[in-house]
Amino acid sequence: MDNKKILNQFNKKANEWLVDLRMMDEEVIQIKPSETSWSISEVYDHVMRVARSYQIPNLQKSVTELAKRKKRKNKYGIAIFDLGYRKDVHIKMEKFPKPLVEAFTPAKRDKRDLVKDFLSFIKEVNELQDILEKSGKDHKQYHFMFGDINTREWFSLIELHIWLHDKQKAKIKRYIETKELCIEC
């Protein structure tokens, strides 16, 4: 996949999320279907936290001398990045290394702040285009679930992560509209 297509894919998904966020009321984005589930504001916050604390730093690191390579890309990385396989999965954060869980745990945010931050996030991700343009397939950084993945794959992981949370966001919205029990929101 070329850089322009990767960037367009991210912008399309991010703009869908931005429009959706702008259309929801402050009260709606704070509703949690259960004690253990997240609100919509927390889903947005989580997506940005993961990108800013893990995906973007590793993308940036992949083009430096500090890049760490531990294991070749595994079957999961090949399926996702080489074959374009996307499966609706439900990943529990508790299975991640403890420092990542702490960094990825979302905070409750008010709508105005969240919209402003999401706009800033979209801009930050788009500013990575220069790194994408300068990177090659040999620029890699280790990902604990996929093995060594290259800069473009780190970038596409940002959009993939948003895509993975689409279903969660839809379930929360359905709960808000219907008060239907939501087990895995």
Side-chain angles (χ1 to χ4, degrees):
M1 190 181 300
D2 70 11
N3 295 338
K4 193 171 190 167
K5 188 172 181 180
I6 292 170
L7 195 60
N8 287 340
Q9 200 169 343
F10 166 78
N11 283 318
K12 180 180 177 193
K13 182 56 67 185
N15 284 315
E16 285 174 16
W17 273 46
L18 180 62
V19 167
D20 203 25
L21 178 60
R22 285 179 165 161
M23 293 183 70
M24 288 184 269
D25 293 333
E26 173 71 42
E27 300 78 36
V28 167
I29 69 168
Q30 304 305 336
I31 295 171
K32 294 173 89 166
S34 73
E35 278 298 312
T36 59
S37 63
W38 292 346
S39 67
I40 289 175
S41 76
E42 289 172 315
V43 173
Y44 278 80
D45 184 71
H46 167 76
V47 164
M48 291 186 287
R49 281 178 188 272
V50 170
R52 288 174 170 153
S53 68
Y54 188 67
Q55 295 162 336
I56 294 171
N58 279 296
L59 177 152
Q60 292 167 327
K61 198 174 189 181
S62 71
V63 295
T64 71
E65 296 295 320
L66 300 173
K68 292 181 183 162
R69 293 185 184 183
K70 294 184 180 182
K71 297 179 183 174
R72 290 178 36 190
K73 189 184 331 175
N74 62 31
K75 63 183 178 183
Y76 304 109
I78 291 168
I80 291 168
F81 302 112
D82 298 350
L83 303 175
Y85 181 73
R86 288 195 172 192
K87 183 180 179 195
D88 187 25
V89 294
H90 187 78
I91 300 170
K92 293 280 189 185
M93 273 196 347
E94 296 80 28
K95 295 181 180 180
F96 284 56
K98 189 173 180 165
L100 292 181
V101 171
E102 292 168 1
F104 296 173
T105 301
K108 183 178 174 181
R109 310 270 300 273
D110 70 67
K111 182 179 174 181
R112 189 171 4 124
D113 176 52
L114 199 55
V115 169
K116 183 179 175 184
D117 197 22
F118 201 71
L119 281 165
S120 177
F121 169 67
I122 292 170
K123 184 179 180 204
E124 286 171 48
V125 173
N126 275 275
E127 288 172 352
L128 298 169
Q129 185 172 3
D130 287 346
I131 294 173
L132 283 177
E133 295 298 330
K134 294 175 185 172
S135 71
K137 288 187 179 197
D138 58 329
H139 291 113
K140 296 180 181 181
Q141 169 68 11
Y142 179 73
H143 186 286
F144 75 98
M145 288 177 68
F146 305 123
D148 294 341
I149 60 174
N150 68 39
T151 311
R152 286 176 187 83
E153 293 164 340
W154 275 104
F155 186 91
S156 66
L157 198 53
I158 299 168
E159 182 271 335
L160 176 64
H161 188 230
I162 295 172
W163 179 85
L164 283 170
H165 283 282
D166 266 342
K167 188 172 183 180
Q168 179 185 20
K169 193 166 65 100
K171 284 180 180 180
I172 297 169
K173 287 174 73 173
R174 186 172 56 247
Y175 168 81
I176 292 165
E177 293 166 1
T178 66
K179 298 297 183 210
E180 204 175 276
L181 182 60
C182 183
I183 296 169
E184 289 188 356
C185 289

